[in-house]
Amino acid sequence: MLREANFDGLVGPTHNYAGLSLGNVASAKHAGRVSNPRAAALQGLAKMRALMELGLVQGILPPQERPDTSTPRLLGFAGSDAQVIRSMAKRSPLLLAQVSSASSMWSANAATVTPSVDADDGRVHLTPANLKSMLHRSIEPATTARVLRAVFPGSKHFVVHEPLPACDALGDEGAANHTRLYDATNPARPGPGVHLFVYGTHHADRRTPRPAKFPARQTREASEAVARLHGIDPERCVFAQQNPGAIDAGAFHNDVVCVGNAGVLLYHEMAFLQEAKVLGQLRRLLGKAFKPVRVSSKDVPIKTAVRTYLFNSQLVTLEGGEMLLVAPTQTRDNLRTRRVVRSLFGGDKGSLGTHLYMDVRESMHNGGGPACLRLRVPMTDAQLAAVAPGCICTPGQLDKLEDWVGRHYRQRLVPADLADPKLLEESRGALAELTKILGIGRVYRFQGR
Ligand code: SUG
């Protein structure tokens, strides 16, 4: 039996709004605004606590060291760390913002995960995403791999692969473009997984339509490589192209227009280029267990879907078997999406389950909703027992983390503040203490790795 654990990315102390992500509407809209790193981290921890209190297994992934002073050195900046920061502030404020982003919080982009039941060697497979589309994200994978190896240690249960080579043909954004579905109609004997990989472009096939305005971050080649590396039966994989129109409307990852759990696939009608074909393939593999739930543009225009992040809700199964939609409060504040949530997850007979609204506004303003903040890792009890224990939430651990955030995080940050080398010192001080709280050893460069 597998239990799904959700590993949330802890928001780092440099959380700020720098408008770094082309094609991410919220990130562009909030560029230059004042952020509140403390509130951001506490909102994330509150979400983790809420899910833990509902009986779900909730994990934590630590943030990365930011500002990162090693990337600028590769680009010609030199001197002490403080000098590197000051000279970036003067000569390339954009690079300073890029190496300061707290973007590792969106752990749905940390890796793609395959549970052991679906892998040919019976182990849990994780491939860190190369995130090569955006400079500020492309500097995450090396540390992500180290962190994942610390959190999922040893080779008996886990395999943490190297990220795919970072090139146009192999853009990989991780679990945000992957959904595992399975037959849960007999809870005692859940079916094996069916893997829906959604890509923005097929790099080698010049005939496939491409978005006109915004980049397609995930390639079909990358999705296929991950499926192969993880030893998933090719017969149980569906590769589907995202609708380029959705990317141009701001759905830079599939999880902005689609979320699935067990046999349920909740999606916007503009999510897939070939909707009928995708549904047909999934139905063939899942049979009667497949429950596609289509939300039309008439009910929720794509712009509203992108603005509210309805589909970036987490869809989880509670202990009693009931489904829960964990939706961002922006979904509640919009009449159309509130109506959809109420009709589908109103808790009444015939509905798909219940819902819970969470305020993750600080993350949302950079285009990261509840589902972006978590990496799903379905595990057996033995695998779960092998995870670094400090990275599994308990009330005590969350109390400690809240106290830690209160002591280390600022309540106000604007991009100009990134020029202050004190922020680096503060951040390192915080992270050094964090690795002790989480008990994961030395994962950061400044710790002498
Ligand atoms: O990659 N935003 C992230 C948001 C990632 C959301 N993840 C998922 N959909 N799974 C991104 O675009 C903005 C940072 C800034 O602009 O300062 C940012 O990187």
Side-chain angles (χ1 to χ4, degrees):
M1 276 297 277
L2 293 181
R3 278 188 86 183
E4 177 179 282
N6 282 277
F7 284 80
D8 279 40
L10 194 51
V11 179
T14 61
H15 159 67
N16 75 98
Y17 300 120
L20 298 177
S21 280
L22 178 65
N24 173 336
V25 177
S27 148
K29 181 174 167 200
H30 294 92
R33 301 239 187 134
V34 182
S35 67
N36 183 337
R38 187 185 296 181
L42 293 176
Q43 285 163 8
L45 287 167
K47 176 166 92 69
M48 296 186 220
R49 194 184 287 275
L51 269 69
M52 177 196 71
E53 285 176 351
L54 284 164
L56 296 163
V57 183
Q58 180 64 54
I60 312 162
L61 294 177
Q64 302 213 348
E65 180 196 351
R66 295 290 181 270
D68 160 34
T69 53
S70 65
T71 303
R73 289 178 194 283
L74 298 174
L75 305 176
F77 290 93
S80 66
D81 283 342
Q83 279 165 335
V84 165
I85 287 169
R86 283 202 200 93
S87 103
M88 268 192 294
K90 220 156 89 208
R91 296 169 67 185
S92 181
L94 173 61
L95 181 62
L96 177 60
Q98 286 163 327
V99 301
S100 301
S101 174
S103 53
S104 66
M105 73 176 85
W106 299 298
S107 60
N109 307 120
T112 307
V113 179
T114 300
S116 53
V117 287
D118 299 341
D120 59 2
D121 67 356
R123 295 185 290 172
V124 182
H125 286 249
L126 303 98
T127 294
N130 62 24
L131 296 169
K132 67 105 222 155
S133 303
M134 309 274 151
L135 195 154
H136 69 289
R137 304 223 59 184
S138 71
I139 58 177
E140 294 174 34
T143 305
T144 302
R146 269 207 306 277
V147 165
L148 292 176
R149 288 185 181 123
V151 178
F152 303 97
S155 55
K156 179 167 174 227
H157 295 298
F158 308 110
V159 190
V160 178
H161 298 272
E162 287 302 308
L164 303 183
C167 60
D168 283 357
L170 293 172
D172 179 20
E173 302 272 325
N177 293 318
H178 167 255
T179 306
R180 177 180 185 264
L181 300 169
Y182 61 96
D183 180 353
T185 48
N186 178 357
R189 283 166 48 92
V194 167
H195 296 263
L196 173 62
F197 287 92
V198 182
Y199 58 90
T201 182
H202 187 172
H203 184 76
D205 185 353
R206 293 269 139 201
R207 290 162 317 175
T208 53
R210 283 154 201 246
K213 248 166 70 189
F214 294 143
R217 299 196 199 181
Q218 179 89 28
T219 66
R220 179 177 177 124
E221 287 89 339
S223 300
E224 286 176 350
V226 170
R228 205 160 39 232
L229 269 172
H230 292 197
I232 307 174
D233 177 355
E235 296 294 316
R236 304 198 64 81
C237 293
V238 173
F239 297 95
Q241 184 172 351
Q242 205 185 343
N243 185 337
I247 297 179
D248 278 338
F252 52 94
H253 290 136
N254 177 246
D255 68 3
V256 175
V257 279
C258 172
V259 60
N261 182 47
V264 174
L265 188 73
L266 174 67
Y267 70 97
H268 189 271
E269 78 163 272
M270 276 187 69
F272 308 110
L273 186 61
Q274 294 178 295
E275 180 188 354
K277 184 175 163 201
V278 177
L279 297 187
Q281 287 173 298
L282 293 171
R283 189 166 291 114
R284 194 172 49 75
L285 289 164
L286 287 155
K288 281 205 224 61
F290 184 44
K291 285 202 192 72
V293 183
R294 177 188 205 251
V295 178
S296 70
S297 298
K298 196 169 132 280
D299 286 340
V300 178
I302 185 81
K303 278 206 160 121
T304 308
V306 169
R307 206 175 44 239
T308 60
Y309 264 37
L310 166 65
F311 299 92
N312 204 260
S313 301
Q314 287 179 249
L315 189 53
V316 294
T317 303
L318 297 174
E319 268 173 327
E322 188 183 38
M323 279 204 200
L324 171 75
L325 187 83
V326 182
T329 47
Q330 282 79 355
T331 305
R332 180 194 60 201
D333 300 340
N334 178 285
L335 195 64
R336 287 170 180 274
T337 50
R338 185 166 71 227
R339 219 181 266 147
V340 170
V341 171
R342 202 186 304 126
S343 80
L344 294 175
F345 296 93
D348 323 320
K349 215 164 165 266
S351 78
L352 292 166
T354 56
H355 66 273
L356 171 72
Y357 288 113
M358 288 300 315
D359 177 5
V360 288
R361 159 186 349 197
E362 286 284 327
S363 166
M364 282 284 285
H365 288 172
N366 253 337
C372 298
L373 286 162
R374 63 90 173 93
L375 183 66
R376 300 163 117 172
V377 188
M379 283 179 283
T380 62
D381 288 346
Q383 290 158 355
L384 183 57
V387 171
C391 293
I392 299 294
C393 288
T394 58
Q397 195 67 338
L398 287 170
D399 291 346
K400 270 192 218 160
L401 290 169
E402 277 172 10
D403 168 68
W404 168 82
V405 168
R407 282 183 292 107
H408 291 284
Y409 281 51
R410 298 189 187 186
Q411 285 173 286
R412 189 192 143 86
L413 207 60
V414 287
D417 296 329
L418 304 175
D420 180 4
K422 260 184 60 197
L423 186 63
L424 173 68
E425 268 170 50
E426 282 171 31
S427 178
R428 283 184 178 167
L431 296 185
E433 189 184 330
L434 179 67
T435 50
K436 292 200 191 109
I437 297 175
L438 299 180
I440 49 170
R442 299 146 82 89
V443 290
Y444 299 113
R445 251 189 217 101
F446 74 88
Q447 295 176 312
R449 293 259 342 178

